[in-house]
């Protein structure tokens, strides 16, 4: 039996992967005011786009990763235009239901093309090295590094760039922002593109760390939700912290409950947070 | 062919009950429940396990409806304090965790093997035309629930529920204990879902955890939105159309033979998803919209 530190380390890697869709989910929720259940399915889309590039045209995993980022961002943008844009003024729950429908369509398009089999990328297998008694894979370190860099970039974008500031303004008060000349639809388009890209990239990471199958992303929705709620809706660093906590608790939790109950741990976190703060950790925003 | 139609009609009846249950929660009261399948499963498993354990059905069925109702009330008391967005994930998560429970706690639920040889009511008496008898049984149940819900909708209780749906602050100002009404409505819907589960389990004589996937909750939503939420007739119509859609696409196999089983199933699900999204955009009120002021 590996030491508990091994579980914590695996949890940190899982959390790093989870952080990307969690940030996308959290920011899009704050901006568009509905929980977009399709975000976790964008991981599946990204993973299979990379698989197509990696197996089909023999692209290296790095190139395939960039391809997944771009294509998934474009898919997210297309989904927004077709499904969500006509419903912008409707109550959040209608949009949430529509997003579940979208997730369902995307997952089954993947299933239609590739079937239900588990797949993996064509990458040279490197053995995990032992660092201070911990088994550490090269991919795991790479994934963690890239995830941290991406989170830092997202945060810098939100805090320092004109467009990032416009995005936060729209999230805070869409009407006021629009009156002040913020092009709302363009802000939404950029956020959707970026959020979809982050989730798509995370999907490739997940495919490298575990395996690729049609439910890989959709099955994470409860964990993504838990991370976003834990971090406070709309906060990028919050979502990162939330994702790390959820990742570590899900891995360490396997010492106590069978691995099949992984989803239940995320659910327990959601319940615990919401029972203490029924409006979520973000406070009493409506 | 006749046997097939009888089987389909029986399943339409089971789905109609599920949809009527959700209509009490969402259509009438405006309560989000993405875990409709959970109460369906509670009803199915409770009744199946009790009956297999030797309990007579006159005991097993009421206990199963009761447990589904209590489970609904319990979840409602926790979850209905939350904002709608959070309610969506909590109810969805509840359904999924319940499925994991059914899968893992084999000492109680027999795990992935499922419960087999569930007794079928009056099987000895109706040997020749058993399926026809069961169809009649399901239809009587649907009719009873439908009539009861129609009465409920027009009753003072139903009016309060609709008032809560439209504006719960106004209902509260008018002196209605909003939270209590919400919990009651949610529990009632869950109980009807439990009844649907009972009829399902004793019809198939077999249940296993993967009959209760999150997507099954989505199908109930689709039926309700398709038919017209808030309207019991709409809930019935939606259930018929949905099963027509699902079963109809099964015949696609004869038309497009080059598709594999997995592809066909995926195509069917894609169709369901697309219809749901298009409906949400184009016809959120469904085929039979609720007529305002129709007391």
């Amino acid at each position: 039996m590996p030491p508990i530190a091994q579980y914590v380390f695996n949890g940190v890697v899982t959390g790093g992967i989870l952080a990307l869709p969690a940030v996308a989910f959290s920011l899009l929720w704050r901006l568009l005011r509905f929980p977009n259940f399709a975000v976790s399915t964008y991981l599946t889309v990204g993973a299979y786009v990379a698989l197509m590039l990696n197996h089909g045209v023999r692209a290296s995993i790095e190139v395939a990763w960039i391809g997944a980022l771009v294509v998934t961002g474009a898919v997210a943008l297309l989904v927004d235009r077709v499904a969500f844009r006509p419903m912008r003024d409707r109550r959040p729950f209608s949009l949430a239901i529509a997003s579940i429908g979208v997730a369902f369509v995307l997952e089954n398009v993947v299933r239609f093309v590739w079937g239900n089999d588990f797949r993996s990328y064509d990458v040279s297998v490197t053995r995990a090295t032992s660092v201070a008694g911990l088994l550490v894979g090269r991919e795991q370190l790479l994934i963690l590094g890239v995830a941290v860099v991406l989170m830092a970039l997202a945060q810098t974008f939100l805090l320092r760039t004109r467009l990032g500031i416009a995005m936060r303004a729209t999230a805070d008060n869409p009407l006021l922002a629009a009156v002040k000349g913020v092009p709302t639809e363009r802000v939404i388009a950029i956020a959707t593109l970026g959020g979809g890209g982050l989730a798509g990239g995370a999907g490739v990471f997940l495919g490298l760390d575990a395996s690729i199958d049609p439910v890989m992303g959709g099955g994470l929705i409860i964990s993504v939700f838990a991370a976003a709620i834990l971090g406070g809706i709309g906060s990028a660093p919050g979502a990162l912290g939330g994702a790390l906590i959820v990742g570590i608790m899900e891995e360490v939790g396997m010492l106590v409950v069978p691995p099949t109950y992984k989803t239940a741990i995320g659910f327990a976190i959601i319940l615990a947070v919401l029972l203490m703060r029924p409006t979520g950790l973000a406070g009493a925003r409506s | 062919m006749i046997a097939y139609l009888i089987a389909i009609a029986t399943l339409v009846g089971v789905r109609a009950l599920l949809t009527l249950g959700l209509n009490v929660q969402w259509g009438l009261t405006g309560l989000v429940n993405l875990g409709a399948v959970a109460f369906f499963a509670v009803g199915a498993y409770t009744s199946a396990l009790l009956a297999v354990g030797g309990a007579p059905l006159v005991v097993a069925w009421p206990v199963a409806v009761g447990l589904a109702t209590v489970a609904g009330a319990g979840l409602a008391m926790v979850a209905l304090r939350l904002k709608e967005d959070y309610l969506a994930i909590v109810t969805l998560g509840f359904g999924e965790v319940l499925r994991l429970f059914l899968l893992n706690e084999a000492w109680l639920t027999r795990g992935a093997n499922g419960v087999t040889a569930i007794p079928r009511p009056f099987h000895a008496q109706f040997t020749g035309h058993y399926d026809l008898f069961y169809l009649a049984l399901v239809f009587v149940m649907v009719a009873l629930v439908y009539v009861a819900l129609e009465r409920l909708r027009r009753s003072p209780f139903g009016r309060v529920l609709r008032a809560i749906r439209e504006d719960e602050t106004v209902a509260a100002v008018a002196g209605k204990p909003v939270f209590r009404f919400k919990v009651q409505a949610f529990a009632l819907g869950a109980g009807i879902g439990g009844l649907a589960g009972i009829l399902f389990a004793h019809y198939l004589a077999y249940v296993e955890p993967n009959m209760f996937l999150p997507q099954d909750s989505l199908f109930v939503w689709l039926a309700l939105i398709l038919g017209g939420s808030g309207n019991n007739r709409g809930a019935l119509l939606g259930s018929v159309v949905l099963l027509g859609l699902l079963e109809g696409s099964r015949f696609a196999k004869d038309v497009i033979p080059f598709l594999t089983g997995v592809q066909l199933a995926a195509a069917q699900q894609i169709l369901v998803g697309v219809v749901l999204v298009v409906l949400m955009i184009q016809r959120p009120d469904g085929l039979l919209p609720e007529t305002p002021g129709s007391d």
Side-chain angles (χ1 to χ4, degrees), chain A residues 29 35 37 82-83 86-87 90-94 97-98 100-102 104-105 108-109 111-112 115-116 221-222 225 229 233 260-261 263-264 267 270-271 274-275 278-280 285, chain B residues 26 30 32 34 78 81-86 88-90 92-94 96-97 100-101 104-105 215 218-219 221 225 259 262-263 266-267 269-270 272-274 276-277 280-281 284:
Chain A
W29 189 351
F37 285 85
V82 174
M87 299 177 65
R90 299 264 284 280
R91 69 187 280 190
F93 185 67
S94 302
I97 283 278
I100 295 178
V102 167
F104 210 55
V105 172
N108 281 292
V109 168
R111 182 171 286 128
F112 188 90
N116 278 324
I221 184 65
I222 290 176
F225 225 112
I229 288 181
I233 304 304
T260 37
Y261 271 127
T263 308
F267 182 65
I270 294 176
L271 271 189
L274 291 182
L275 287 181
T279 49
R285 296 182 44 84
Chain B
W26 170 251
V32 170
L34 287 184
V78 175
R81 297 177 195 281
L82 307 176
K83 270 175 47 184
E84 202 172 66
D85 306 349
Y86 300 135
I89 190 70
V90 168
L92 184 83
F94 178 75
E96 189 55 5
V97 170
L100 295 180
F101 177 85
N104 286 297
E105 305 304 321
Q215 67 198 50
L218 192 65
F219 288 164
W221 270 98
I225 294 168
L259 290 184
V262 173
Q263 284 182 322
Q269 314 267 36
I270 291 170
V272 167
V274 168
L276 182 63
V277 174
M280 289 311 290
I281 298 170

Side-chain angles (χ1 to χ4, degrees), chain B residues 160-234:
Chain B
V160 175
L161 297 188
R162 281 182 286 154
I164 291 172
R165 179 189 66 190
E166 297 305 325
D167 192 331
E168 65 173 85
T169 313
V170 171
V173 169
K176 305 297 176 195
V178 169
F179 185 71
R180 209 178 72 204
F181 275 102
K182 281 181 170 179
V183 171
Q184 285 168 348
F186 201 91
L188 176 63
I192 297 171
L195 178 63
I198 294 170
L199 292 172
F200 183 68
H202 289 269
Y203 174 65
L204 295 183
Y206 168 64
V207 285
E208 56 111 351
N210 288 332
M211 290 174 171
F212 308 99
L213 296 169
Q215 67 198 50
D216 293 298
S217 297
L218 192 65
F219 288 164
V220 186
W221 270 98
L222 183 57
L224 183 60
I225 294 168
L226 197 67
S229 72
N231 186 340
N232 288 322
R233 277 185 305 134

Side-chain angles (χ1 to χ4, degrees), chain A residues 48 115-120 210-215:
Chain A
Y48 277 90
N116 278 324
D117 302 337
F118 286 87
R119 288 163 194 272
S120 56
S211 63
I212 307 164
D213 71 292
V215 295

Side-chain angles (χ1 to χ4, degrees), chain A residues 116-137:
Chain A
N116 278 324
D117 302 337
F118 286 87
R119 288 163 194 272
S120 56
Y121 297 117
D122 234 348
V123 285
S124 53
V125 181
T126 51
R127 274 175 46 139
T129 45
S130 183
V131 179
L134 290 181
L135 277 179
V136 177

Side-chain angles (χ1 to χ4, degrees), chain A residues 231-267:
Chain A
I233 304 304
S235 155
L240 172 64
L244 287 175
I245 295 173
V246 171
I248 292 169
M249 285 183 76
E250 284 185 350
E251 295 289 336
V252 174
M254 280 193 256
L255 290 167
V256 192
V257 293
T260 37
Y261 271 127
K262 210 170 180 178
T263 308
I265 295 175
F267 182 65

